[in-house]
Each structure stands twice: as structure tokens, then as C-alpha cells.
Amino acid sequence: MNLFDLSLQFNGFPIKKAERILKGIQAQPDQAFEAYVENKKNEIVTYHIQNNSFYSNLVNGAKVTDWNSIPVITKRDLQIPLQDRLSAGYNLKNVYINKTSGSSGDPFIFAKDYECHALTWAVIKNRFGWYGLDFNSSKQARFYGIPLDKKGYYKERFKDFLSSRFRFSVFDLSDSAFEGYIRKFKSTPFAYLNGYTSSIGQFAKYLERKNLVLKAICPTLKACVVTSEMLFDSDKLRMEKQFGVPVINEYGGSELDLIAFQNLENDWQINSETLYVEILDEANNVLPLGDEGRVVITSLYNQAHPFIRYDIGDIGILSEKSSVKKPILKKLIGRTNDMAVLPSGKKAAGLTFYYITKSIIEDDGLVKEFIIQQTHLNTFKIMYVGVKVLSEEKMQQIRDEMTRYLEPNLTVIFERQEVLERSKSGKLKQFSSLIE
């Protein structure tokens, strides 16, 4: 029985219709695809100008035929009540409503019409299908957070049942918890792992310490899909070694859709079927392929709520080998609010600090995980969970590397902790700036 599909249909999301639409889009030849995208862009802008007073006021006379005149919108533009952002014919009772996690610093509630949300699931199902994974039958080991209030908790557990998945807590990453994970993998025919990169990465480190390979314990495993946090090459290699299956990198935005998914050629393939992705500079000019800039996305099918030239808050690069039908995300560098401003005025991606530190303190296995905070213009705090206190030699190595890669006279504070604080959803923010 296809419980997952039935649950979507029961809740009003026409998944079968959405899958037919998706197949029709994908069947278009390369030469016709550009015309399809241009038509959908014009269609969705025109629709919202005519049917959404919030968006028509925001556009303020921009020309539909001149895409570059269409304004870029941010989460801050959307910080008004949801009912004031909905298109004509939609209300709080006939749309899918959810909220972002707030990892960009600007959480907000958003809506999708039912067909758009069904298309989101059609795309996700299609991408997982590349690896022989079926939400209706493939058992998922889920590494996500879960609401702790009674109603939210049991709602998620019921959704897990319908989706053939078992949820592991990401709030307890102790060895004793991992021992329980192993017992569950021994007794359950899981097809894949799916969840937050940092939590699954910690499980891989535990397996490494115990000299275990998960596929030997659970032979039915086919793949591991990580999402929501940065996946570093060294972590991916460790996961693939200790799990014994391919590790697949996913990039999504809850208010939009699945944005990119690692394909069978190991490229991060962007969803061009329901989204239009641009890389823009600070002046909102489109950058050439290969240049680094802001990730700006248009949802081509959401009629309930406008997400048109929407700045998701990430910095990325499109590959030079991208085409309209098959755009490739070459690199995701981090979030725009994760930029560090140094005393000299120089700016650096926050993950630069994470890369520098990671290469030094994770090589001997004594540090389990760590995060970095910029507390003042010249001061960075590294909080870590480790077997023992970092040696003075390691600390000095990190200080020296920060001088070499960034600039001199930076103050680095080290703080060993028993456990690192995660967000309510269970995500771990690798770098954050506490200064304005």
C-alpha cells in the first residue's frame, strides 16, 4: 500500500497530477526548455501582479518583459502577516502553511497552494528515485529534530509511520545513544539514512572509533542523504567509508522546494523544473557562470504566495557547464549573514574560519565537533566537544593559520564544552557572528 502517496492525497495535495506535470516538463527537449522557463517566469509574475496586492505594490511598475527590472525580495520584505501576502482566492484555510527555521536570522511563515506543494513532493520523490529509493516502501533512518510538545511530537511520529521512517534523536549524540542506534540498525531493514549533516557525521565518527561499517550491520542500506548543513569533503569521505554506501548532498529551502540534489554523475543538479535560480551581485546584476554571488530563486508554480527573485540568503556559484535545463551548483559557500567583518575592513565567509580550524583539530579524533562565533570585531570564540582540552600547540596552530589566511592580531578564545547548543530543530550552526 502506498501510504505516503495516500496521505498526500488525503490532505489535499494532488501528488498523482503533480507527477504527471513533472514528467511532462522533463520530457521537453533541451531546445524547447528555455522557452518553457521564460514562459513560466512571465506567467508567474503576471499572475501575482494581477492577483496579489502585496506583490503588485512591491513591483511598483516593473515591466514583465524586462526580467532585470523585477525587484529582488528578501525575507525582511515578507515580515508582515501571512494573510496580507496571499493572492486573491486564497486564505489561511485553503493553502499549505509552514514556517522557515530562521537559520538566516529572519524566520517567517509562508504558504503554498496545494498543487505547488504536491509538485515539491513530486520533485523530491523523483530525485530520491535516482538512487532506487521510494518513500512508499524504502525504510528511512531519519536524523532530524522533533517537537517536544505533545501534539507536535505525536504528529511527527504519525507522519514518520506514514512515510516508512524511524526517527533518531539528534539532541543526544553520546556513545550510549549511538549504541542504541546500532541495535536498531541490526534489527531494522533500513534502505537509507536521511537528515542533518552534523548529526549523521557524528554517527560516522562513532563508527570510525569502533571500527564498524554500517552496511555490514544493516545489509539493506543503499544510500545516505544529508541536508540543511554544509557537507565538507573530509566528512563525506568518512561517511562513505563508515556507512559503506554513497553519500548524497541535498540543498533545499522549505519555503521553495528542493533546490539541488547530487545526481549520479556526482554533480549538484539544480531543480530547473519548478524553480529558476540566479546568481546575483550586490547590485542585483546577473553574474557569469563560475562567479560567486547571492542565490536568488523564483518559484515558478506557487500562485498562493509570491517567491519571485527571492534572495534565500545563501552565497553560491553556478558551474560553467550549466545549461538552462540542467544547471549545476558548483559550490555553496554559506549564508550571507555568516560573513565576518575583520578589523581591517576585509570581509570573509564565516566558513573560512571553520575550514581552517577543522583541518587542524579534527585530524586526531580528540575533538568530536565544534562551532565558531565572532564575538567582537577582532575576537573569535571556538567552542568544542572533545576528549580532552586542546593542547597549546593546536591552539597556536589555529592562531597562526588565521593570521596566514586572514590577517594578523586576531584574538582566538577556546572553550571546551560537554555539549554544543543546537537550534530547536536540531541543526548545528557552524559559524555565527554576534556583532552588528
Side-chain angles (χ1 to χ4, degrees), residues 108-269:
F108 72 100
I109 298 172
F110 65 88
K112 295 180 184 179
D113 61 78
Y114 284 1
E115 187 170 296
C116 176
H117 189 57
L119 269 168
T120 293
W121 279 112
V123 171
I124 294 170
K125 287 182 64 182
N126 175 259
R127 299 310 198 251
F128 276 72
W130 289 349
Y131 294 88
L133 303 174
D134 183 346
F135 284 10
N136 288 294
S137 58
S138 301
K139 188 74 173 178
Q140 178 191 136
R142 190 169 182 81
F143 290 71
Y144 275 79
I146 190 167
L148 298 179
D149 65 283
K150 200 169 185 179
K151 182 180 177 182
Y153 178 86
Y154 285 108
K155 181 181 178 181
E156 288 303 312
R157 286 297 187 194
F158 183 61
K159 286 163 64 177
D160 288 343
F161 167 74
L162 294 176
S163 304
S164 189
R165 62 199 190 201
F166 178 85
R167 191 179 299 242
F168 293 92
S169 172
V170 298
F171 297 109
D172 183 1
L173 301 176
S174 64
D175 281 7
S176 60
F178 289 145
E179 287 167 13
Y181 290 13
I182 294 296
R183 289 193 293 272
K184 187 65 180 178
F185 274 95
K186 282 181 178 177
S187 62
T188 309
F190 288 114
Y192 64 111
L193 300 89
N194 185 19
Y196 298 146
T197 309
S198 63
S199 304
I200 292 178
Q202 287 305 305
F203 186 38
K205 287 183 180 180
Y206 168 80
L207 293 170
E208 185 177 52
R209 292 196 301 273
K210 299 295 181 180
N211 197 27
L212 297 171
V213 175
L214 195 58
K215 189 168 175 63
I217 295 166
C218 182
T220 50
L221 273 184
K222 293 181 180 178
C224 169
V225 182
V226 295
T227 190
S228 293
E229 300 161 339
M230 294 293 288
L231 174 64
F232 297 93
D233 291 341
S234 58
D235 292 330
K236 182 177 181 179
L237 289 172
R238 179 188 294 111
M239 289 179 197
E240 290 187 330
K241 179 183 177 184
Q242 301 307 141
F243 297 150
V245 296
V247 171
I248 303 152
N249 203 0
E250 178 189 81
Y251 170 41
S254 57
E255 66 270 45
L256 295 166
D257 210 323
L258 186 151
I259 300 170
F261 199 80
Q262 184 180 314
N263 63 24
L264 297 173
E265 290 78 46
N266 209 34
D267 288 324
W268 223 357
Q269 185 171 328

Side-chain angles (χ1 to χ4, degrees), residues 223-383:
C224 169
V225 182
V226 295
T227 190
S228 293
E229 300 161 339
M230 294 293 288
L231 174 64
F232 297 93
D233 291 341
S234 58
D235 292 330
K236 182 177 181 179
L237 289 172
R238 179 188 294 111
M239 289 179 197
E240 290 187 330
K241 179 183 177 184
Q242 301 307 141
F243 297 150
V245 296
V247 171
I248 303 152
N249 203 0
E250 178 189 81
Y251 170 41
S254 57
E255 66 270 45
L256 295 166
D257 210 323
L258 186 151
I259 300 170
F261 199 80
Q262 184 180 314
N263 63 24
L264 297 173
E265 290 78 46
N266 209 34
D267 288 324
W268 223 357
Q269 185 171 328
I270 287 176
N271 165 15
S272 62
E273 295 99 315
T274 67
L275 302 178
Y276 178 65
V277 178
E278 303 172 89
I279 303 295
L280 305 185
D281 65 16
E282 290 303 315
N284 294 335
N285 299 309
V286 178
L287 290 166
L289 297 177
D291 282 11
E292 171 189 319
R294 294 149 53 225
V295 180
V296 174
I297 302 178
T298 298
S299 177
L300 300 173
Y301 283 88
N302 192 353
Q303 295 188 342
H305 186 294
F307 284 109
I308 298 167
R309 302 202 89 192
Y310 167 66
D311 187 335
I312 194 171
D314 289 335
I315 303 169
I317 301 171
L318 285 180
S319 169
E320 294 86 346
K321 63 181 181 180
S322 295
S323 66
V324 175
K325 189 171 185 179
K326 191 178 177 181
I328 302 297
L329 186 62
K330 184 176 184 178
K331 193 174 183 181
L332 189 64
I333 294 159
R335 303 202 68 87
T336 50
N337 70 316
D338 287 343
M339 297 297 288
V341 180
L342 303 176
S344 66
K346 175 182 175 181
K347 289 185 178 180
L351 284 170
T352 305
F353 302 90
Y354 193 83
Y355 275 114
I356 291 169
T357 308
K358 185 179 179 66
S359 65
I360 296 169
I361 69 175
E362 285 202 338
D363 59 356
D364 54 13
L366 296 179
V367 173
K368 292 185 177 181
E369 56 184 351
F370 67 96
I371 57 175
I372 299 175
Q373 289 181 344
Q374 182 176 16
T375 58
H376 298 89
L377 199 60
N378 67 335
T379 306
F380 297 84
K381 182 193 287 186
I382 297 173
M383 292 175 284

